[in-house]
């Protein structure tokens, strides 16, 4: 009787306080520790530990006593530990001091209530841990969204495209705890690597690669060599209005156990960030375009001002002759050129030229021609030598695909004699006063800057009432909506009809003719006229 009473007293002492711990609010940990102490005592072990399921293995939750209990157990626990499955967890003791050798061995009948109690507390602790993780995930998401908002403000305030691209990479790495990153921007049908962080990246990727599309959707493997050496990769598109403008790639997410894969929440975060980055990158790109456009406009205005200074202002007085020049560029600056130069002895030099091409390049070649012509006319007269020396200078100072057509003449006002040089230009038109005859001042050599070659000159004499018209092809090649050219015939008819009117009015009539013929369509070529009439 006394022996039975002693056993009961020992059992009561062993279980003493369990009911109080179980009923105490917030006492789950102390309750679990007491159960582990009882488990270790029944197995004569120095200590015991409770592990809960975590990421394919078991993470240590509670420990009592002594023993080498690692923080994480994989699918195969070490041989120096004995484990028992209790609900959603494991109870572990060191494999020594008579501990049961097999984790499959059922607990002794006296331990059955303890086994059930540990299974229950394991489930409760597992639920507590899951709730904490969910609360942490919610809080992390809030912090993440706040970070995204702050990141969006930071990158949106940067309009320098290079600095912004660098900032995008650094922010992406910071948000995702990534070791590697790369930014690609689209150029036509290719994603070109813009910059990298933490290592090398593939130089280019085809936009229409099906494998890349699957990888971006999270279903495929990364393209070969995307981030060489990285184990885990994730990428999202950088889009504007659903149109791909680039890619944002990250690699090797850092964790307490080294590097690991990225989760779906990471993909959502990176996608949201990529949306903000896309807007910022587009704004920076548009800002760069605006700056470039502004720079070009300033250069065009400067070139136009230089060209206005090159072209003559008004016409010099020539005894016995009326003279006028007119020019309208198709753009802010043009490739047409004319000059009216008084020479010694009362003579006059007339020049009309057309540089191939348009815009600043043509305007620069016009300036080259202007300088060379003024220098050479102080040394030689209008003639074959002038053509050869001009041709040599343009060949030496211009690109291979650039050339100039030119018609230059020297007028002797006393005799009305005009000596002219036509280097591949439209023939000048001389309308005689006495009838409908038109004399053409035809070519005498190749355009300047094409090939070395000789030039020949021609001569005509202007009688009283004769009208000379020098022009560029922007007038005769003016095109109607039906794609018909104005042509030389219509120009001659206009000149003949208004030949006796003041030259300024003839210019206005030709201007009106081209505008009406084109039906106000934008002109594609510069237009230039020089009119000379002997009184």
């Amino acid at each position: 009787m006394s022996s039975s009473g002693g056993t009961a007293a020992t059992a009561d002492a062993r279980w003493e306080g369990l009911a109080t711990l179980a009923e105490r609010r917030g006492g789950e940990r102390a309750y679990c520790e007491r159960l582990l102490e009882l488990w270790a005592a029944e197995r004569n072990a120095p200590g015991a530990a409770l592990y809960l399921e975590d990421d394919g293995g078991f993470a240590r939750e509670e420990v009592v006593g002594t023993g080498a209990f690692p923080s994480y157990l994989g699918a195969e626990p070490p041989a120096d530990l004995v484990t028992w499955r209790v609900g959603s967890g494991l109870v572990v003791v060191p494999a020594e001091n008579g501990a049961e050798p097999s984790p499959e061995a059922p607990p002794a009948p006296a331990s059955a209530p303890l086994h059930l109690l540990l299974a229950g507390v394991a489930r409760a602790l597992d639920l507590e841990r899951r709730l904490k993780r969910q609360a942490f995930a919610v809080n992390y998401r809030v912090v993440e969204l706040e970070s995204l908002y702050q990141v969006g403000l930071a990158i949106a305030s940067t309009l320098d495209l290079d600095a912004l691209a660098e900032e995008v990479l650094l922010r992406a790495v910071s948000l995702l705890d990534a070791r590697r990153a790369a930014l690609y921007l689209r150029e036509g049908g290719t994603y070109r690597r813009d910059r990298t962080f933490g290592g090398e990246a593939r130089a280019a990727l085809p936009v229409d690669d099906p494998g890349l599309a699957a990888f971006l959707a999270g279903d495929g493997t990364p393209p070969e060599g995307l981030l060489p050496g990285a184990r885990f990769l994730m990428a999202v598109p950088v889009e504007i209005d659903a149109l791909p403008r680039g890619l944002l790639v990250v690699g090797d997410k850092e964790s307490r156990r080294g590097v690991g894969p990225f989760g779906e929440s990471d993909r959502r975060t990176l996608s949201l960030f990529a949306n903000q980055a896309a807007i910022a990158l587009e704004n920076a790109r548009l800002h760069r375009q605006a700056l470039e456009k502004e720079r070009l406009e300033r250069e065009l205005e400067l070139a136009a001002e230089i060209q206005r200074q090159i072209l003559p202002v008004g016409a010099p007085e020539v005894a016995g002759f009326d003279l006028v020049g007119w020019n309208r560029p198709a753009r802010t600056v043009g490739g047409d050129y004319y000059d009216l130069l008084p020479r010694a002895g009362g003579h006059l030099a007339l020049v009309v030229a057309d540089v191939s091409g348009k815009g600043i390049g043509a305007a620069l070649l016009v300036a080259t021609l202007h300088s060379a012509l003024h220098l050479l006319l102080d040394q030689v007269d209008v003639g074959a030598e002038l053509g050869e020396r001009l041709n040599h200078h343009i060949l030496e100072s211009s690109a291979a695909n650039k050339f100039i057509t030119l018609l230059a003449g020297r007028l002797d006002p006393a005799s009305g004699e005009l000596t002219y040089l036509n280097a591949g230009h439209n023939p000048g038109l001389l309308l005689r006063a006495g009838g409908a005859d038109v004399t053409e001042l035809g070519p005498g050599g190749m355009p300047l800057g094409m090939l070395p070659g000789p030039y020949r000159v021609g001569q005509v004499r202007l009688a009283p009432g004769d009208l000379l018209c020098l022009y560029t092809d922007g007038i005769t090649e003016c095109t109607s909506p039906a794609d018909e050219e104005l042509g030389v015939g219509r120009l001659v008819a206009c000149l003949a009809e208004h030949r006796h009117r003041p030259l300024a009015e003839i210019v206005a009539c030709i201007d009106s003719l081209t505008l009406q013929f084109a039906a106000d369509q934008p002109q594609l070529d510069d237009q230039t006229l020089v009119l000379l009439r002997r009184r």
Side-chain angles (χ1 to χ4, degrees), residues 32-33 38 50 78 96 111-112 123 139 223 230 258 276 296 304 309 361 372 399 426 466:
C32 178
E33 290 175 0
L38 294 174
L50 176 66
E96 57 186 15
S111 312
R123 190 172 300 277
N139 292 334
Q276 293 180 320
L296 289 175
Q309 294 176 7
N426 303 83
D466 287 354

Side-chain angles (χ1 to χ4, degrees), residues 42-130:
E42 286 193 354
R43 283 151 184 80
N44 195 27
L50 176 66
Y51 287 77
L52 299 179
E53 290 180 348
D54 182 53
D55 195 21
F58 294 88
R60 188 181 63 205
E61 186 72 17
E62 288 293 339
V63 176
V64 296
T66 60
F69 300 107
S71 60
Y72 185 82
L73 295 179
E76 297 293 335
D80 59 350
L81 295 176
V82 180
T83 64
W84 290 266
R85 184 74 184 220
V86 286
S88 58
L90 289 178
V91 178
V92 178
V93 298
E96 57 186 15
N97 299 326
E100 297 181 35
S102 172
E104 303 297 330
S111 312
L114 184 59
H115 186 281
L116 293 175
L117 291 175
L118 272 170
V121 79
R123 190 172 300 277
L125 290 176
D126 184 53
L127 179 60
E128 177 187 344
R129 184 189 60 173
R130 292 176 184 272

Side-chain angles (χ1 to χ4, degrees), residues 13-302:
R14 183 180 297 173
W15 295 87
E16 183 180 356
L18 276 178
T20 303
L21 290 174
E23 292 174 358
R24 183 189 305 170
R25 186 171 183 177
E28 292 85 356
R29 297 288 169 181
Y31 179 61
C32 178
E33 290 175 0
R34 183 61 181 146
L35 291 175
L36 288 175
E37 289 172 355
L38 294 174
W39 189 278
E42 286 193 354
R43 283 151 184 80
N44 195 27
L50 176 66
Y51 287 77
L52 299 179
E53 290 180 348
D54 182 53
D55 195 21
F58 294 88
R60 188 181 63 205
E61 186 72 17
E62 288 293 339
V63 176
V64 296
T66 60
F69 300 107
S71 60
Y72 185 82
L73 295 179
E76 297 293 335
D80 59 350
L81 295 176
V82 180
T83 64
W84 290 266
R85 184 74 184 220
V86 286
S88 58
L90 289 178
V91 178
V92 178
V93 298
E96 57 186 15
N97 299 326
E100 297 181 35
S102 172
E104 303 297 330
S111 312
L114 184 59
H115 186 281
L116 293 175
L117 291 175
L118 272 170
V121 79
R123 190 172 300 277
L125 290 176
D126 184 53
L127 179 60
E128 177 187 344
R129 184 189 60 173
R130 292 176 184 272
L131 290 175
K132 284 183 177 180
R133 288 186 175 180
Q134 288 181 358
F136 175 80
V138 171
N139 292 334
Y140 180 82
R141 189 62 176 164
V142 171
V143 172
E144 182 182 63
L145 291 175
E146 289 178 350
S147 298
L148 278 172
Y149 175 71
Q150 295 299 328
V151 166
L153 291 180
I155 63 175
S157 63
T158 305
L159 290 175
D160 183 292
L161 193 55
D162 293 328
L164 175 61
E166 191 74 27
E167 185 74 10
V168 165
L169 271 191
L170 293 176
R171 297 284 184 171
V173 167
S174 176
L175 279 173
L176 276 298
D177 294 325
R179 289 185 177 179
R180 305 274 299 277
L183 175 65
Y184 290 81
L185 297 180
R186 181 171 181 174
E187 295 179 8
T190 304
Y191 291 119
R192 299 284 181 192
R193 180 188 62 210
D194 184 77
R195 62 197 62 231
T196 64
F197 178 88
E200 290 299 315
R202 185 167 163 176
L205 296 163
V207 173
D208 57 357
D209 182 4
L212 176 61
F215 175 60
L216 291 175
D219 299 327
T221 57
E224 184 178 355
L226 184 55
L227 295 182
R231 294 173 56 196
F232 305 98
L233 299 179
M234 180 175 67
V236 297
V238 177
E239 297 179 328
I240 293 290
D241 296 330
L243 297 175
R245 297 295 179 85
L247 298 176
L248 191 52
V249 185
V250 292
D252 288 346
K253 183 179 180 67
E254 292 185 332
S255 67
R256 288 176 295 179
R257 294 192 291 272
V259 296
F262 297 92
E264 281 305 310
S265 63
D266 294 322
R267 182 175 295 278
R268 287 194 300 270
T269 299
L270 191 60
S271 295
L272 288 174
F273 175 67
N275 291 339
Q276 293 180 320
I279 296 172
L281 288 167
E282 182 69 5
N283 288 340
R285 186 182 68 83
L286 293 175
H287 178 67
R288 174 177 284 186
Q289 285 184 349
L291 292 178
E292 181 66 15
K293 181 180 178 182
E294 183 180 343
R295 183 186 65 80
L296 289 175
E297 287 176 349
R298 287 198 302 268
E299 290 182 357
L300 285 172
E301 285 298 328
L302 178 60

Side-chain angles (χ1 to χ4, degrees), residues 431-495:
L431 279 71
R432 298 297 184 179
D437 293 340
V438 177
T439 301
E440 291 190 347
L441 282 59
M446 296 288 290
L448 307 176
M450 292 189 70
L451 295 169
Y455 289 88
R456 65 180 184 275
V457 298
Q459 287 185 332
V460 293
R461 186 180 298 274
L462 275 70
D466 287 354
L467 175 64
L468 176 66
C469 173
L470 308 182
Y471 63 94
T472 58
D473 58 10
I475 293 177
T476 53
E477 293 179 5
C478 173
T479 306
S480 71
D483 206 27
E484 179 186 5
E485 291 186 352
L486 180 74
V488 176
R490 289 187 177 89
L491 175 60
V492 170
C494 182
L495 290 168

